[in-house]
Amino acid sequence: MAQKVKAKFTLKIPEVVLAGLLLISGITLGFSSGRFIVDLNKIGFVALSTVQKGVHAVTSKVTGTVNAIKETATLRKEYEALTKKLEDYEYLQRNNTEIRKENERLKELLGFATNIDYKNYPAHIIARDPDNQYSGITIDKGARNGIQKGMPVIAVQNGTIGVVGKVVTVGVGTCMVMPVYDVKCNISARIQNTRDIGLVCGNGANSSTLSLKYISKRDRDDFMHGDIVVTSGENDNYMPDIPIGTIDSVEVIDYDSSLNITLKPMIDFSRLEMVIVVDQTQQNDRQPEDAR
């Protein structure tokens, strides 16, 4: 039987020494030529520059974000400041408009008050009673200003003169006016064109019509829709020929000898702000500007 022979690989000392010498020689030659130093510098430069580039990108992004936040905050403050200035400007504009309108109304009122034959007191409305059955109007003139109970109250609105009512309660610095639309108010009146006399009564609401009573049926064809009804001047309650309202409708009732006439008030009470209280017992001592 044949025996297997195993091959053995052994390194001899001379061969190992030779390989070591060759390796050392190669390394020495490489260092001496400078090739390894150059490669290491290049590798270090690339690594360092890459890190620097990354740091710069991050820093730039963070700086940009911070600056953007600061700019946004600044813009918001400027926007809020401009918004406030705009609101102040609009407020001043509204105030100026209101002042101009108030001056126009006051000029119109005082101009008319100067030309009234009787002493009078311009006043502002400061309160209204919401009760429909007795809708009193409070004004800012009272006993210390010369106001007395029973004095007639008129107004000028958009260049039109009209009856407001009469004083029913007087305080020291204020008084209450019963308006023509109050159910307790009765005014002796005439149809301006025909001079037919009747009695104007309120219906209890500032948005409703007034009633003109005691106009005979036989006079139906003498007047028409839109004719003006004025104060008669009788009983010294009101000066004569002050407009109360205009004829809005006429109804004939079979069992009644009088017509049922409704009037549209001359004054729009929902927009009324200023009135004139008239003292018919004293003459007006004021003169128009062109007569001074």
Side-chain angles (χ1 to χ4, degrees):
M1 184 176 179
Q3 293 181 348
K4 294 182 179 181
V5 180
K6 294 183 179 178
K8 293 183 180 179
F9 178 78
T10 60
L11 291 176
K12 296 181 179 180
I13 293 175
E15 293 175 349
V16 173
V17 172
L18 178 61
L21 291 173
L22 289 175
L23 179 61
I24 294 171
S25 298
I27 294 173
T28 304
L29 180 63
F31 276 104
S32 63
S33 64
R35 294 177 61 187
F36 284 168
I37 297 174
V38 171
D39 291 341
L40 289 175
N41 288 339
K42 185 175 181 180
I43 292 171
F45 171 75
V46 171
L48 182 60
S49 62
T50 300
V51 172
Q52 289 175 337
K53 183 177 180 180
V55 171
H56 175 73
V58 172
T59 303
S60 299
K61 189 172 183 180
V62 172
T63 303
T65 302
V66 172
N67 290 336
I69 293 173
K70 290 181 178 179
E71 290 177 1
T72 301
T74 302
L75 289 174
R76 181 175 294 278
K77 289 181 180 179
E78 292 177 353
Y79 172 77
E80 291 175 352
L82 290 174
T83 302
K84 183 65 170 59
K85 289 181 179 180
L86 180 60
E87 291 175 353
D88 292 341
Y89 174 77
E90 291 176 346
Y91 175 77
L92 290 175
Q93 284 291 95
R94 289 194 297 269
N95 276 0
N96 288 337
T97 301
E98 287 300 318
I99 290 173
R100 285 195 297 269
K101 290 181 178 179
E102 179 71 13
N103 287 339
E104 290 173 0
R105 290 192 294 266
L106 187 59
K107 183 177 179 181
E108 180 183 48
L109 189 71
L110 293 178
F112 175 74
T114 301
N115 293 299
I116 298 178
D117 293 335
Y118 302 105
K119 189 172 183 178
N120 55 81
Y121 309 91
H124 286 83
I125 294 176
I126 59 174
R128 302 172 195 260
D129 187 341
D131 184 359
N132 285 335
Q133 295 303 313
Y134 184 79
S135 300
I137 297 173
T138 303
I139 61 176
D140 62 351
K141 291 290 189 298
R144 67 184 176 193
N145 305 108
I147 306 297
Q148 297 179 18
K149 184 178 179 179
M151 287 184 174
V153 182
I154 60 178
V156 183
Q157 196 175 64
N158 299 324
T160 302
I161 305 168
V163 174
V164 174
K166 66 178 180 179
V167 177
V168 291
T169 305
V170 181
V172 177
T174 61
C175 68
M176 180 173 288
V177 177
M178 180 173 64
V180 293
Y181 56 80
D182 191 281
V183 292
K184 297 179 181 179
C185 186
N186 298 291
I187 304 174
S188 177
R190 293 182 185 274
I191 299 176
Q192 190 176 53
N193 293 336
T194 66
R195 309 310 290 175
D196 291 307
I197 192 168
L199 188 69
V200 173
C201 305
N203 292 321
N206 62 359
S207 60
S208 69
T209 57
L210 308 174
S211 295
L212 176 60
K213 300 179 178 180
Y214 309 120
I215 300 297
S216 176
K217 287 181 178 179
R218 65 175 180 270
D219 300 323
R220 173 64 187 88
D221 297 330
D222 296 336
F223 54 86
M224 62 185 65
H225 181 275
D227 279 358
I228 298 174
V229 175
V230 299
T231 55
S232 68
E234 296 181 357
N235 303 322
D236 294 328
N237 288 329
Y238 292 89
M239 306 86 71
D241 297 320
I242 303 297
I244 302 172
T246 57
I247 294 177
D248 188 62
S249 65
V250 179
E251 181 183 3
V252 178
I253 301 177
D254 294 336
Y255 58 82
D256 197 337
S257 61
S258 299
L259 297 168
N260 186 12
I261 302 174
T262 59
L263 307 179
K264 180 180 180 181
M266 190 64 64
I267 295 296
D268 183 353
F269 286 89
S270 65
R271 297 182 177 181
L272 186 62
E273 298 180 49
M274 302 182 69
V275 299
I276 301 174
V277 182
V278 181
D279 183 357
Q280 298 183 90
T281 64
Q282 299 186 54
Q283 291 295 311
N284 190 356
D285 54 2
R286 288 174 289 190
Q287 297 297 323
E289 291 183 1
D290 56 359
R292 292 179 183 177

